[in-house]
Amino acid sequence: MSAMDLDVAVIGGGPSGLAAATELRRLGVGRVVVLERFGVAGGIPRHCGHPPFGMREFRRVLTGPAYARRLVGTALAAGVEIRTRCTVTAIRPGGVLELATTDGAETLAAKRILLATGNRETTRAAALVPGLRPVGVMNTAALQSFLYEEGRSPFSRPVIVGSEMVAYSAVLSCRRHGIRPAAMVESRGRVQGPRFYALANRMFGVPLVTGAEIVAIEGKTRVTGLRLREASGAERRIDCDGVIFSGRFTPEAALARASGLALDAGTLGPEIDGAFRSSDPCVFVAGNVLHPVETAGYCWAEGRRIAGRIAADLAGEAPAAAPVPLTLGPGLRYAVPQRLVAGEGPVTLNLRAEGAAKGRLVLAEPSGRELAAASVSAAPEASLRLDVPALDVLPGQLVVRLDREG
């Protein structure tokens, strides 16, 4: 392949990458290739055998594998090329990609690149959890792989560590395969999703323990128990035969880092402007490598939007103004995008706060003049949104702040 016949290379075959590739073809972009490191495209939903997927995209309720197959089929029908077992090892200036394939090393070039490598869960080692290393300790992705790809149940009474959206996905997967979780443990003082998540614990018969620190995982060859220290200082033990670490996602940004793309200290993923363009003007970014973690449907919709920006850029319609950086006020962990460009059209900021958030989100000039604002009320780890209108003129700096109630 050469730069003359490859218009867009999409790195990653999950919902955002496949949606962007499909939309690019619909918009008339010539040759679009998805590069997927695994043997099958479709992303994380391939491992999630439970519904609901696909309501936004296909107007029907699908399981994760059915949804992934539908994404792949739609992309192929649109004329997208999908290359599997193909790992991009480096992005070089000018749209050059270095690949490792089953046939050996390869180099190709594209006019534009879309990075859509997704994210990964924090491992037990990264979480610094003490104890032995018996069989039965894994993250949610490994659990889904055991259940839906290998057809095996790795345990019967695990403890789920975490209380975000994906932790409840683990509960659903367990119940679907006759596994009865012994408990759900959250180190923070409340569930990290909406409060109604706690109702799911009661409905599914999974005890919820909040404000508890893991002291040790017990068991020499297999997990036999989990020791906790509660906020009061008291210790307790939960009998279990497995531990599932869930959530606390980080972007799969190793390729971006190795390729010299600027990274954001808040997300740990690539920095982008309002058109989802990275510090390399040939490289755009989409999906959960930007914002850990959003649903498959959100990433699909984002991929479609970004396809429009890439098509416009290929047509020479990108604005020439310099990007203006966002400065975050107290209590905000990150904002995506991190830079805005005058004349680039309306943008929706995706933000996360430290803890629960209730009050007003405001985008303002340093002088205090407000350019956009929205009332928010969100649980910890919930996304915040701020719609920013098209701005033809921007100051040299912008401030995003959370004015909390009370």
Side-chain angles (χ1 to χ4, degrees), residues 125-381:
L128 303 177
V129 174
L132 301 175
R133 296 184 177 275
V135 173
V137 180
M138 62 189 65
N139 61 21
T140 311
L143 169 69
Q144 307 281 24
S145 180
F146 267 106
L147 297 179
Y148 298 115
E149 292 199 329
E150 300 182 27
R152 294 192 290 141
S153 296
F155 32 56
S156 60
R157 290 283 290 167
V159 170
I160 298 171
V161 180
S163 63
E164 302 171 55
M165 173 180 61
V166 177
Y168 289 90
S169 173
V171 172
L172 291 173
S173 293
C174 284
R175 287 181 58 83
R176 189 180 180 91
H177 289 80
I179 299 170
R180 296 291 181 261
M184 178 179 287
V185 175
E186 171 56 58
S187 62
R188 289 161 285 195
R190 55 157 288 181
V191 293
Q192 295 303 289
R195 290 193 183 276
F196 71 80
Y197 276 19
L199 296 176
N201 290 83
R202 292 197 286 272
M203 183 171 66
F204 294 134
V206 180
L208 174 64
V209 182
T210 59
E213 173 190 358
I214 298 175
V215 175
I217 296 173
E218 297 180 344
K220 291 185 178 179
T221 56
R222 286 202 59 91
V223 174
T224 58
L226 189 67
R227 283 197 294 120
L228 304 174
R229 181 179 295 113
E230 297 180 336
S232 64
E235 290 195 8
R236 62 180 290 190
R237 183 182 185 277
I238 300 176
D239 286 321
C240 61
D241 62 354
V243 180
I244 305 167
F245 286 91
S246 177
R248 303 201 180 193
F249 288 88
T250 57
E252 190 61 78
L255 176 60
R257 185 180 300 109
S259 302
L261 300 183
L263 301 183
D264 177 58
T267 63
L268 304 180
E271 286 187 1
I272 58 166
D273 63 19
F276 291 80
R277 188 186 298 104
S278 74
S279 56
D280 181 333
C282 288
V283 180
F284 291 71
V285 191
N288 279 330
V289 70
L290 289 174
H291 38 58
V293 59
E294 297 287 352
T295 65
Y298 181 93
C299 292
W300 174 87
E302 184 175 82
R304 293 188 68 193
R305 290 197 304 273
I306 293 169
R309 300 300 182 101
I310 296 173
D313 195 53
L314 285 169
E317 299 172 8
V324 176
L326 301 182
T327 298
L328 299 182
L332 290 175
R333 192 191 315 168
Y334 68 70
V336 178
Q338 293 83 12
R339 309 185 302 270
L340 297 182
V341 177
E344 210 158 37
V347 173
T348 298
L349 298 182
N350 182 328
L351 306 101
R352 290 283 175 97
E354 298 288 357
K358 188 172 184 179
R360 291 178 76 240
L361 270 177
V362 177
L363 175 70
E365 297 180 351
S367 65
R369 186 173 79 89
E370 295 185 3
L371 302 175
S375 297
V376 295
S377 180
E381 298 304 324

